[in-house]
Structure formats: C-alpha cells, structure tokens
Amino acid sequence: MSTDKIECDTHGQAFTTFVCQHLVGGEGLEWHSTEPDEENPWPDAWCGECNAAFEREGEWNEKSESEVRIKIVCHRCYESTKARCTVHYV
Ligand SMILES: [Zn+2]
Ligand SMILES: [Zn+2]
C-alpha cells in the first residue's frame, strides 16, 4: 500500500496515486486498472486511449509506457474521477 503523502489543493493531505494524464479531472472516460485490494486500494489507472497502447503491447513495457503520461493525483481526486468513469478491471 502506498504511504506516500501529497498535499492536494482541494483535499489537503492525502495519499499519492497515479493515473494517466487524460484521467486527471476526466469525466465519462474509460477507466482501466487492476482490481483494487487491501494492499493496493488505488492501483495505477489509465484511460481507453492509453489502453490501446497497453493492448498493442499486451503489457506495460518501455514501449507502451512511453506513450502514456502518468500524473500524480491525491487518492480522493482518484476516487472522485473513478466515480465519473466507466470502470474496467484488467
Ligand atoms: Zn490516457
Ligand atoms: Zn485531491
């Protein structure tokens, strides 16, 4: 579980999570991530567009990762964005 903290402009101190650039503040997008569990309640997430790179390579490797810009968001921003997206677990 991630214990890194960030200071969010909206939410104050919160946990660090990672999503692709398109999902930051996104709405109505496709949300792809592994299934959250106790160890990792906020797995890294990416959108439908970035998923095309993932599916082409079949995994996250140097090539697929080079096409995706990952942004840091707080876990509450993560959750509110996720609630506005269509969630697919890989
Ligand atoms: Zn994306
Ligand atoms: Zn936040």
Side-chain angles (χ1 to χ4, degrees):
M1 172 164 167
S2 164
T3 49
D4 290 345
K5 295 275 179 66
I6 56 162
E7 191 74 30
C8 175
D9 288 344
T10 310
H11 300 110
Q13 202 169 81
F15 293 112
T16 301
T17 61
F18 300 91
V19 303
C20 82
Q21 59 175 345
H22 310 104
L23 287 177
V24 178
E27 207 171 328
L29 298 172
E30 283 185 47
W31 176 283
H32 297 265
S33 74
T34 55
E35 219 163 323
D37 57 30
E38 264 173 50
E39 223 159 81
N40 190 3
W42 308 288
D44 300 355
W46 58 94
C47 74
E49 195 177 315
C50 292
N51 196 54
F54 177 76
E55 293 210 320
R56 200 164 58 239
E57 293 297 313
E59 60 176 351
W60 287 122
N61 57 29
E62 232 169 78
K63 195 147 176 279
S64 49
E65 280 179 2
S66 71
E67 295 178 37
V68 177
R69 273 184 220 289
I70 294 295
K71 300 278 188 190
I72 294 173
V73 296
C74 97
H75 76 281
R76 293 199 233 182
C77 289
Y78 177 104
E79 285 172 351
S80 68
T81 303
K82 188 178 180 182
R84 295 195 304 263
C85 293
T86 310
V87 177
H88 303 270
Y89 292 130
V90 286

